[in-house]
Amino acid sequence: MADSLAAIREELSLANRILAHEGIVDAFGHISVRHPTDPGRFLISRHRAPQLVTPQDILEYTLDTEPVHPTPAGWRHYGERVIHGCIYQARPDIVSICHHHAPSMMPYAISRAAMVPVYHLGASMGVTVPYWDSRDDFGSTALVLVRPEEGHSLAKALGRGWTVLMGRHGATAAGKSIRECVFRTIFSCKNAELQTQARLLGHVEPLDAKEVELAAGYNLRPGPLERAWDYWAKRVLDAEALVTAAKAATSLRAASSKPVKKAAAKAKRKR
């Protein structure tokens, strides 16, 4: 976990952009982190697409999901921040939460097919992934969690686990740090993709409980987490650098062409 609040904001904004670059979130989805010194608060971006999140976009909330500080004019809040606040209330051991609608996970959220760990990196999601259906407690809804009672119901379904499927909606994953949460989110999605592919071949052979315990323990060590984080961070920062360089080159070409255009216009007037 980064030490200062400024460093936490940097890491959380980078986590947003990593998840976008890896195809886990698009215009929708969000990741949060518990406040590093006040466990009764958490940080999450203002209402915007994860790929666009910067450290300056990170806002602070109580666990009842009320903003701690005045919100800048024109800024909005994520309605589904109750997912984060309610899970933090229920699980003091959780430090970071990601909610998403990754395409690889959606078939399981839609079909109710059991999602199980099928390879070592998928072990971090647990032996089984619980399934939460908003219809059970609330009937037909817009499938967006905006009420505290919905958030508490989801937190109850998560229980002591780390990943929960949300019927016809998506999934939510958690971790003991931002990096662990990102790791679990990305590899649970990869696990879902591989499980679907294995099913097409006719058989899924999941890890047994002991394999899940050993593989999760091995892969959630600081070394593997740092290795994966460095890889994802390099990918997104390199992609962003290419965009910045392309914009700079375009601006330079536009600036260098202005004197030529002015000279041509002046010559034309003289004729």
Side-chain angles (χ1 to χ4, degrees):
M1 175 66 69
D3 295 329
S4 71
L5 194 56
I8 286 285
R9 292 176 186 274
E10 289 279 357
E11 188 168 315
L12 185 59
S13 67
L14 180 55
N16 273 272
R17 304 197 313 275
I18 284 173
L19 291 168
H21 190 259
E22 298 301 320
I24 307 301
V25 296
D26 45 28
F28 301 96
H30 24 81
I31 183 171
S32 68
V33 65
R34 197 185 289 269
H35 193 286
T37 60
D38 185 348
R41 299 180 180 182
F42 71 98
L43 294 94
I44 193 171
S45 170
R46 66 182 172 111
H47 187 282
R48 75 181 322 196
Q51 186 175 351
L52 307 178
V53 171
T54 68
Q56 291 70 39
D57 295 313
I58 305 300
L59 300 176
E60 191 174 323
Y61 297 88
T62 67
L63 298 192
D64 290 326
T65 70
E66 293 299 324
V68 173
H69 307 292
T71 305
W75 285 23
R76 295 186 296 142
H77 306 280
Y78 287 129
E80 288 192 318
R81 64 188 185 277
V82 298
I83 292 174
H84 304 261
C86 292
I87 291 176
Y88 286 131
Q89 287 181 45
R91 291 281 301 277
D93 57 325
I94 285 178
V95 174
S96 183
I97 298 165
C98 176
H99 170 62
H100 63 88
H101 322 116
S104 61
M105 298 278 271
M106 285 307 299
Y108 295 90
I110 293 167
S111 69
R112 284 184 177 265
M115 193 164 69
V116 295
V118 296
Y119 83 133
H120 62 298
L121 292 171
S124 64
M125 67 183 189
V127 177
T128 59
V129 176
Y131 188 95
W132 177 79
D133 195 329
S134 56
R135 287 178 185 163
D136 293 342
D137 290 339
F138 309 104
S140 298
T141 69
L143 296 175
V144 179
L145 277 74
V146 295
R147 297 182 293 165
E149 54 266 35
E150 295 169 332
H152 290 307
S153 177
L154 177 66
K156 182 179 179 181
L158 176 65
R160 303 309 301 171
W162 297 99
T163 306
V164 59
L165 282 166
M166 303 163 67
R168 303 166 305 287
H169 183 158
T172 296
K176 295 181 179 179
S177 68
I178 293 174
R179 298 185 183 196
E180 181 178 302
C181 183
V182 169
F183 184 99
R184 180 171 284 115
T185 299
I186 290 176
F187 283 118
S188 63
C189 291
K190 185 63 177 178
N191 186 95
E193 179 184 334
L194 293 172
Q195 182 178 343
T196 300
Q197 292 173 348
R199 177 61 65 192
L200 293 175
L201 295 177
H203 177 67
V204 172
E205 184 71 27
L207 277 63
D208 63 33
K210 190 62 177 179
E211 288 173 330
V212 170
E213 176 189 350
L214 294 173
Y218 185 89
N219 288 306
L220 293 177
R221 293 174 305 145
L225 289 180
E226 182 179 2
R227 177 175 171 178
W229 177 267
D230 289 347
Y231 167 72
W232 293 319
K234 180 78 163 57
R235 280 166 55 83
V236 71
L237 293 174
D238 282 354
E240 291 173 349
L242 287 175
V243 171
T244 300
K247 289 180 177 178
T250 299
S251 298
L252 182 62
R253 286 195 298 269
S256 63
S257 68
K258 286 181 179 178
V260 176
K261 290 180 179 178
K262 287 182 179 179
K266 186 176 181 180
K268 186 176 181 180
R269 286 194 298 270
K270 286 182 176 180
R271 292 198 299 270

